[in-house]
Amino acid sequence: MKIHTIAVMGAGAVGCYFLDGLSEKFGENLWTVASGQRAERLKRDGLTVNGRRLALNVRTPEEARGADLLLVAVKYGALKPCVDDIEKVVAEHTTVMSLLNGVDSETVIAERIGMEHIVYSMMKIASERKDNEVVFDPEVTQGVYFGETDRGDSGINAESGESDGRGRNADSGESDRRIAAIAEAFEGTKIRYTICDDIIRDIWFKYALNISKNLPQAMVNCGFGAYTSSEYVAALSRRLEEEVAAVAKAKGIDLSDKNNAAGKNSAISPKARFSTLQDLDAGRHTEIDMFSGAMMRMGRELGIPTPYNEFTYYMIKALEEKNDGLLP
């Protein structure tokens, strides 16, 4: 099992990390999946990452069919509309890694293509998107975490973390070869990667980190340093994290290890503004449905109150309406 061709769907910060990091090794075998006007724009303008312009090999989903590895890096709001295109790319042998934040994107994709194609993964990158350029610090970027799982799906629709038999191929040797093939593809490139023993737990640690550090600063409109300089911002962060931990515990996922790397930020400037605040700054809609929206749904299913996430959800939705000019 060897990866010869890689397709990247989504050319935001995460997609650019891979398009930049894999370009030298894979060359013409690294494809940017897009269609219509977006494809024409990417062909014409390319992308700029840390000041370096990338010339892209743009393919439609039909042209990219049969890629050995598909990396899905679209925004959460675009995921369901993109499932048709994902299905067009995936052939029998294709492995799919969803690099979205949150805990349910793999389930959404697998409902169409089957869980047997999925390798669970997550990203740790602090980046900023300005127009057609993505900027990130390679020295503090942890990169991609991935691994196989026996838990079944990521838990958003299940009431426990127990396996439903879909998380790992029946042939564990095949699973091991698949992970080894992905690692070999990333080896010798600028991509940093970590193979996880319990990727579902690590995804939930990252989810808790996103909710507790991404969202309070977006409501207050402040930099990352507020979590240490303000007892009130810190309290909001702590309450949101506690709700995630309670829901995770009900699903059999233990988030008590405070040293887990997936649940920690890298060294970040006190002025750093994370993705939700960046979206609001730019007048874009956020991924709040993936964060607090999903927490509210899971809390209702499990009978666990999530009042801080509910307040955060309504607040950020109101800020989106304000950006849209819908509030007087």
Side-chain angles (χ1 to χ4, degrees):
M1 184 180 294
K2 187 175 178 63
I3 293 171
H4 298 282
T5 55
I6 298 179
V8 180
M9 185 176 294
V14 172
C16 283
Y17 176 73
F18 285 93
L19 291 169
D20 175 55
L22 297 170
S23 59
E24 186 173 338
K25 181 174 182 177
F26 283 87
E28 290 299 307
N29 290 324
L30 177 63
W31 308 331
T32 305
V33 180
S35 56
Q37 293 183 350
R38 188 165 180 273
E40 294 304 315
R41 185 174 67 253
L42 289 170
K43 289 177 183 178
R44 181 185 67 245
D45 301 334
L47 292 166
T48 302
V49 180
N50 288 344
R52 185 171 82 94
R53 186 181 182 278
L54 303 180
L56 305 176
N57 184 0
V58 180
R59 295 196 174 198
T60 65
E62 293 84 358
E63 292 169 338
R65 181 167 181 78
D68 296 322
L69 176 63
L70 172 61
L71 303 174
V72 180
V74 300
K75 280 282 196 178
Y76 186 76
L79 179 60
K80 289 184 179 179
C82 282
V83 170
D84 288 343
D85 288 341
I86 292 171
E87 185 177 29
K88 292 173 184 176
V89 175
V90 173
E92 184 176 354
H93 69 282
T94 303
T95 296
V96 178
M97 294 171 66
S98 174
L99 303 166
L100 282 71
N101 287 316
V103 293
D104 68 331
S105 63
E106 286 89 355
T107 302
V108 172
I109 296 169
E111 285 174 352
R112 179 66 63 87
I113 67 170
M115 190 62 73
E116 65 273 13
H117 291 282
I118 302 293
V119 167
Y120 280 89
S121 62
M122 68 173 199
M123 279 296 298
K124 292 295 292 292
I125 181 173
S127 59
E128 187 174 2
R129 177 74 180 265
K130 292 184 177 180
D131 298 323
N132 210 42
E133 181 172 7
V134 170
V135 177
F136 66 91
D137 184 349
E139 295 303 315
V140 300
T141 296
Q142 296 180 35
V144 60
Y145 289 61
F146 63 93
E148 298 283 9
T149 177
D150 289 319
R151 287 184 184 269
D153 65 25
S154 58
I156 194 167
N157 296 318
E159 294 190 0
S160 75
E162 297 177 357
S163 173
D164 62 3
R166 299 182 300 158
R168 181 188 290 270
N169 290 342
D171 182 352
S172 62
E174 180 181 346
S175 296
D176 294 338
R177 289 191 294 272
R178 182 164 65 165
I179 295 300
I182 297 170
E184 192 279 330
F186 294 157
E187 197 64 37
T189 73
K190 293 189 285 185
I191 302 301
R192 292 184 174 183
Y193 68 89
T194 300
I195 300 174
C196 302
D197 293 329
D198 190 343
I199 182 61
I200 298 299
R201 178 200 60 196
D202 292 341
I203 286 173
W204 273 81
F205 266 113
K206 170 71 184 306
Y207 186 52
L209 180 68
N210 262 315
I211 285 179
S212 64
K213 296 298 189 288
N214 211 325
L215 305 184
Q217 69 155 198
M219 292 188 287
V220 181
N221 190 8
C222 61
F224 176 73
Y227 294 111
T228 55
S229 64
S230 168
E231 64 176 294
Y232 306 109
V233 178
L236 284 171
S237 174
R238 187 168 57 253
R239 295 300 190 188
L240 287 165
E241 185 177 21
E242 287 170 353
E243 290 180 1
V244 179
V247 170
K249 183 178 180 180
K251 293 176 176 294
I253 301 167
D254 182 6
L255 300 185
S256 63
D257 180 8
K258 299 303 181 184
N259 294 316
N260 184 285
K264 289 185 174 182
N265 281 115
S266 305
I268 295 173
S269 165
K271 297 181 180 180
R273 299 164 79 83
F274 295 153
S275 61
T276 302
L277 185 49
Q278 287 184 36
D279 285 339
L280 292 173
D281 287 342
R284 297 187 296 260
H285 281 203
T286 72
E287 295 183 305
I288 189 62
D289 290 290
M290 176 178 67
F291 293 137
S292 291
M295 275 299 301
M296 292 163 60
R297 292 195 299 274
M298 289 185 285
R300 285 194 294 266
E301 291 167 3
L302 294 164
I304 296 173
T306 57
Y308 280 86
N309 273 278
E310 289 190 30
F311 174 82
T312 298
Y313 178 83
Y314 297 133
M315 172 63 82
I316 291 179
K317 283 292 188 181
L319 291 172
E320 290 178 351
E321 288 185 331
K322 183 179 179 181
N323 275 344
D324 292 340
L326 299 177
L327 302 184

